[in-house]
Amino acid sequence: MARQVRAEVTRDSVLRGAAEVFMNLGYANASLNEIIQQSGVTKGALYFHFASKEELARAVIDEGFARLGSAGLSAISDRTPALETMIELSVLTVDVSHADPIVRAMFRLVIEIGDYRGSGEGVFAIWLSTVQDLAKRALAEGDLSEELEPDAVGLLVLQALTGARAVAAALNRRDELVEHLENMWRLLVPALVPADKVEYFRQFVSRRLRV
């Protein structure tokens, strides 16, 4: 049992060290030697858990996605209006990535590694399904305009969120991502919700993103 615990601690150290290196240097520029140094483990310990840089990067994606998913589940409730939940989740991705370097690295790696997936199902497919389910519930709750198709709304929201994060990174404005999201939602809301609810959701966006 003690050996298993030590192995888990070592693996966690490697993941944390790898996340820092991948986030700072990107997938292409990161080296296993830098990850070993950052992790404080031996080369043998790293290779015991991960056979290659790609396998390690995919493990960081898997772990980051699991951590973000765990945080996201706490925000999804049938008692909360679905459109409010969708806005809340967009803010949550920023909050969690700021607090957790593995989640932060996951967002960079899932794009840079080239196929938008970890070791299993593509994470974007799961995100899309989640947002589309929320859009369907928002339509049923009367918070989406009746002429809108919820699957298309879910796709648009995911595209906008992904684009906002990518542009913030490309312009080296990650610290301004919350402001970018607020602007995104304030522009999207009038196109998505019935006219009599526009002001309510705009105020909700402003309150939530300025907390």
Side-chain angles (χ1 to χ4, degrees):
M1 181 61 69
R3 181 177 296 178
Q4 181 179 350
V5 170
R6 286 198 300 272
E8 291 174 356
V9 169
T10 299
R11 186 178 188 276
D12 288 344
S13 296
V14 173
L15 286 176
R16 288 195 301 271
E20 292 287 353
V21 173
F22 284 134
M23 187 59 231
N24 291 331
L25 300 181
Y27 178 73
N29 293 325
S31 73
L32 288 178
N33 285 336
E34 287 165 319
I35 291 170
I36 289 167
Q37 182 175 3
Q38 180 69 32
S39 303
V41 303
T42 65
K43 182 180 292 187
L46 183 146
Y47 279 109
F48 176 80
H49 292 283
F50 305 103
S52 66
K53 184 173 79 168
E54 179 181 339
E55 184 177 316
L56 177 52
R58 292 187 185 279
V60 172
I61 292 173
D62 290 343
E63 179 65 19
F65 181 62
R67 294 184 182 198
L68 182 63
S70 178
L73 285 175
S74 67
I76 298 177
S77 170
D78 291 339
R79 296 187 297 273
T80 302
L83 187 55
E84 290 185 11
T85 299
M86 200 182 300
I87 295 167
E88 174 70 25
L89 287 175
S90 72
V91 183
L92 185 69
T93 65
V94 180
D95 293 343
V96 176
S97 63
H98 280 170
D100 192 329
I102 292 182
V103 175
R104 195 157 59 247
M106 179 270 293
F107 275 115
R108 181 166 186 171
L109 286 171
V110 77
I111 295 174
E112 289 189 1
I113 204 169
D115 58 8
Y116 306 94
R117 60 193 311 120
S119 60
E121 184 176 357
V123 294
F124 274 85
I126 298 172
W127 289 338
L128 178 59
S129 175
T130 299
V131 179
Q132 288 178 329
D133 286 345
L134 287 170
K136 290 170 185 174
R137 182 153 66 86
L139 181 63
E141 293 168 347
D143 289 336
L144 284 186
S145 297
E146 292 183 354
E147 69 273 13
L148 296 178
E149 203 283 310
D151 282 348
V153 169
L155 179 60
L156 173 65
V157 169
L158 181 60
Q159 289 169 332
L161 291 173
T162 303
R165 183 173 287 276
V167 170
L171 296 177
N172 198 27
R173 295 179 181 175
R174 290 187 178 90
D175 291 342
E176 301 175 19
L177 183 54
V178 170
E179 289 84 350
H180 291 190
L181 289 179
E182 181 181 1
N183 184 59
M184 181 201 83
W185 278 115
R186 286 182 62 82
L187 293 173
L188 279 179
V189 160
L192 298 180
V193 309
D196 61 340
K197 296 189 176 185
V198 168
E199 187 57 29
Y200 169 81
F201 279 104
R202 276 186 160 171
Q203 291 182 12
F204 179 83
V205 167
S206 294
R207 289 195 306 272
R208 182 58 189 92
L209 275 76
R210 293 178 185 177
V211 171

